[in-house]
Amino acid sequence: MFTKLLFPPVCPLCDKVVKIDEEGKLCRNCTGRARPFTGPACLKCGKLLTDDEEAYCGNCRKNSFHFRKCHITFLYEDEVRDMLVKFKYKNRKDMARFFANESLGRFKEVLGKAGIDAVVPIPIHKKRMKKRGYNQAAEFGKLIAQELGVPCLTELLKRTRQTAAQKELGAVVRLMNLMDAFEVDKTWLLRVREAGIKKLLLVDDIFTTGSTLECASIKLTECGFPEPDCLSISGTRGIG
Ligand SMILES: [Zn+2]
Ligand SMILES: [Zn+2]
């Protein structure tokens, strides 16, 4: 309670102080300014479809991701991009509440039906963790896990190599670049197996080509987990 008085909740977009019971919501002025990722979407990767496509996008008709389905909450544009920058780089861990509330508002029911046993956030490298102090995907994942009533496994998947910004690389190169950047922790794998955990929900902040979630899905399915579901806070319009 005292922390809330010293650090009152603020609107995640304009940073105006809001009432305690309005924590994790946009203020009245900002309501509607974060654009949801909606419209006809690919049944597999969740990306928006163009007119001539039906159930699956062109990419998913050609290659199949190793995850079952990806759910995307916001369009990675304008205000949402600004909020994600604060969340990732400006020490604004508190933004996780807003992103989790909005994602659960959209997907809690489908995620409930998917029979998720645990949430696995996409890890960041320990050097980056040291610098930043937290992993934004894990902060988000913990709140999602709490609501679904399952554990959040922040140690199962490790980032073994720091990867450079990949924006300018194509999907295939990105994937090759990432393949040895993730590793499944052996000790945790045993624990997770003993606990009978099978169906995982991978969570991340941005879905661009899908190569990060794909790479993590490959590593986890290789360890015997069924195809995970994925939840991404945001997604770009197209692949690339
Ligand atoms: Zn606001
Ligand atoms: Zn697709």
Side-chain angles (χ1 to χ4, degrees), residues 186-198:
K186 293 203 174 62
T187 316
W188 273 92
L189 181 59
L190 286 177
R191 279 185 208 165
V192 166
R193 277 188 182 147
E194 270 168 30
I197 288 171
K198 290 195 173 76

Side-chain angles (χ1 to χ4, degrees), residues 41-47 49 55-61 65 239:
C42 171
L43 291 180
K44 180 92 180 167
C45 73
K47 284 273 183 168
L49 296 168
Y56 296 94
C57 72
N59 187 52
C60 289
R61 283 200 306 263
F65 284 117
I239 292 270

Side-chain angles (χ1 to χ4, degrees), residues 10-16 18 25-31 33:
V10 295
C11 165
L13 182 52
C14 71
D15 294 334
K16 193 182 90 176
V18 295
K25 292 183 196 152
L26 292 175
C27 76
R28 216 173 292 166
N29 286 338
C30 295
T31 303
R33 286 178 62 201

